[in-house]
Amino acid sequence: MRRSALLALLLAFFPVRAGDSPAAAGPVLLISEDGLGADQFRPDTMPGLWALAERGRRAAVRPPFPATTFNGHVTLATGCWPEHHGVVANGYLRPEDRQRVPAANRVEDIQREPLWVAATRSGVRTAVFHWVGSNGPWEGVTPWRMEAFRPGVPDAEGLAFCESALADGARLVMAYLSGTDEEGHLKGPRSPEALAKLRALDAELAPWLLRMQAAHPGLRVILTADHGMVPMKRRVHLPTVLDGIPVDLITHGGSAYVYLKQPEDLARALARLRKAGLQAWPRKQVPVRYHLGGSPRVGDIVVLAPLGTWLSQARSSREDESERHGRAGAHAYAPESAPMRSWLVVLGAGRGPLADVPAWDIAPTAASWLGIQWAQAPDGEPVPALMSAH
């Protein structure tokens, strides 16, 4: 039997509810599949999940800028813009001592309250699996159940964690899963390897979700991701562009931060970058729509490349080789570019398409469903269309 036919049969036995009343509303399950772009989610790539989405809500999520894994997931978790939650990219320089933070994936990097902390403070039993920043207490608060990220863990272990937490009475469950990020970087987001991963995710996740819905009436599900990805065609080597100007560089793929060692070099660096065909802004002049320029962790200059161009910071042959490995695809471009948008499927909160949703509206929506109170109001707001079903 073909998988699509099998899903149709399962759906007949376990119908997906279009919505539940507030009294019947069940727990909330928030799952992120790293790097899964809205343009990858189609009936031919993920037929089982597409069938589920047809009975729920489907849209795209607009990521923060730059569209990277760590700031994307912290935005999803805090409902705040990067300039407020402090994880301004996958890496940054600490303004207090200019020390490099190469991987901003620790709870210490987060400057605004994550959803799992607000939930715990509100008395909501919460479980978190592998989410960025969920490696310890935040301001002394740890959720009921939490498993910090470990490399090489199969998604099946994450789903088992979620299933166990729901069975044990969790009202909010958050899980980070592998998605298509690795395949997209190594082989390209449109590669056979990425397509095979999409189909494998579909075969694993769709029937599992049906089981969870049958076991937990009123379950509300959000499936999303941190960013999309585009194939790479061109490379710009920033140390060459800025030769003779002393800087520290942190590149993210399609964008970069330039930290000047001599502030008087600002105009010269901007001119060089723009001559190389790149957009470049002093931190205080970054477009307001990017919600970035208010953080001192951001570089003195923010650089944005055209889609399909990646920015290199390599200063040795070894660094160059390391960068090229995993550059068949990249992200960190502007959020208004369609390929950066991630998928969004919502189950148990009505039916029909949604307009694009900013990433910072996801956590406030889940918080509203569960009556969670924030210590400080986030930047985002609950999605109105997802409130009307409750």
Side-chain angles (χ1 to χ4, degrees):
M1 182 181 293
R2 294 182 60 183
R3 187 160 63 245
S4 56
L6 176 61
L7 258 294
L9 181 62
L10 288 170
L11 284 166
F13 279 99
F14 303 112
V16 179
R17 299 182 180 185
D20 299 281
S21 68
V28 173
L29 174 63
L30 172 55
I31 291 179
S32 172
E33 294 279 3
D34 193 352
L36 207 158
D39 56 358
Q40 292 180 300
F41 179 50
R42 306 188 305 269
D44 60 314
T45 58
M46 307 183 85
L49 289 164
W50 189 271
L52 285 175
E54 289 289 279
R55 299 188 176 211
R57 318 301 294 261
R58 188 178 72 250
V61 168
R62 187 168 73 250
F65 177 65
T68 61
T69 296
F70 296 162
N71 72 337
H73 279 96
V74 175
T75 298
L76 288 168
T78 61
C80 293
W81 305 323
E83 65 183 348
H84 289 160
H85 65 58
V87 178
V88 296
N90 282 353
Y92 60 88
L93 289 192
R94 293 191 310 209
E96 59 269 25
D97 57 12
R98 305 280 292 193
Q99 291 299 304
R100 187 177 294 263
V101 178
N105 59 352
R106 306 164 305 157
V107 67
E108 300 95 313
D109 298 305
I110 301 176
Q111 296 176 321
R112 289 285 286 271
E113 182 182 39
L115 179 60
W116 60 82
V117 171
T120 302
R121 285 177 169 162
S122 299
V124 174
R125 180 175 286 193
T126 300
V128 188
F129 179 85
H130 280 206
W131 206 276
V132 174
S134 63
N135 64 317
W138 190 88
E139 292 193 354
V141 179
T142 304
W144 166 69
R145 191 174 289 177
M146 180 172 69
E147 186 165 322
F149 179 80
R150 291 176 290 120
V153 172
D155 286 353
E157 188 169 320
L159 295 181
F161 173 96
C162 295
E163 186 166 351
S164 173
L166 289 169
D168 291 344
R171 296 282 295 159
L172 171 65
V173 180
M174 301 172 61
Y176 163 92
L177 301 179
S178 64
T180 56
D181 190 72
E182 181 176 3
E183 291 77 11
H185 278 302
L186 293 176
K187 301 296 181 180
R190 302 170 192 164
S191 64
E193 291 82 0
L195 177 58
K197 183 61 180 294
L198 288 167
R199 289 174 173 162
L201 290 172
D202 186 69
E204 181 175 47
L205 189 54
W208 182 84
L209 283 171
L210 284 169
R211 284 200 302 106
M212 293 304 99
Q213 290 180 304
H216 304 282
L219 176 70
R220 290 156 293 183
V221 180
I222 298 175
L223 305 175
T224 188
D226 45 355
H227 57 74
M229 196 175 295
V230 291
M232 292 299 96
K233 302 175 182 177
R234 177 173 172 256
R235 169 180 179 260
V236 173
H237 187 238
L238 291 183
T240 299
V241 172
L242 298 172
D243 186 40
I245 302 177
V247 299
D248 288 310
L249 296 171
I250 294 187
T251 58
H252 326 303
S255 57
Y257 293 153
V258 178
Y259 298 85
L260 298 168
K261 295 184 177 180
Q262 299 172 177
E264 60 270 21
D265 285 330
L266 176 64
R268 190 158 60 115
L270 287 168
R272 295 262 200 97
L273 292 162
R274 290 165 179 167
K275 187 177 180 180
L278 307 170
Q279 294 187 70
W281 305 276
R283 181 174 67 241
K284 295 297 184 183
Q285 294 177 23
V286 173
V288 174
R289 67 182 181 275
Y290 292 152
H291 304 296
L292 193 65
S295 173
R297 293 177 173 182
V298 172
D300 300 301
I301 298 174
V302 176
V303 186
L304 175 61
L307 281 174
T309 297
W310 60 277
L311 302 176
S312 170
Q313 65 184 17
R315 295 184 182 274
S316 68
S317 58
R318 178 176 295 180
E319 289 181 359
D320 184 69
E321 182 180 353
S322 175
E323 277 192 352
R324 288 180 185 276
H325 179 73
R327 277 293 179 262
H331 44 91
Y333 297 94
E336 60 265 26
S337 58
M340 290 300 97
R341 309 231 165 161
S342 64
W343 75 323
L344 178 65
V345 174
V346 183
L347 306 176
R351 184 170 182 171
L354 296 170
D356 286 358
V357 174
W360 45 86
D361 285 354
I362 298 293
T365 298
S368 233
W369 285 344
L370 292 167
I372 293 168
Q373 299 298 311
W374 298 91
Q376 181 178 356
D379 299 311
E381 298 179 350
V383 179
L386 296 179
M387 298 295 105
S388 60
H390 295 282

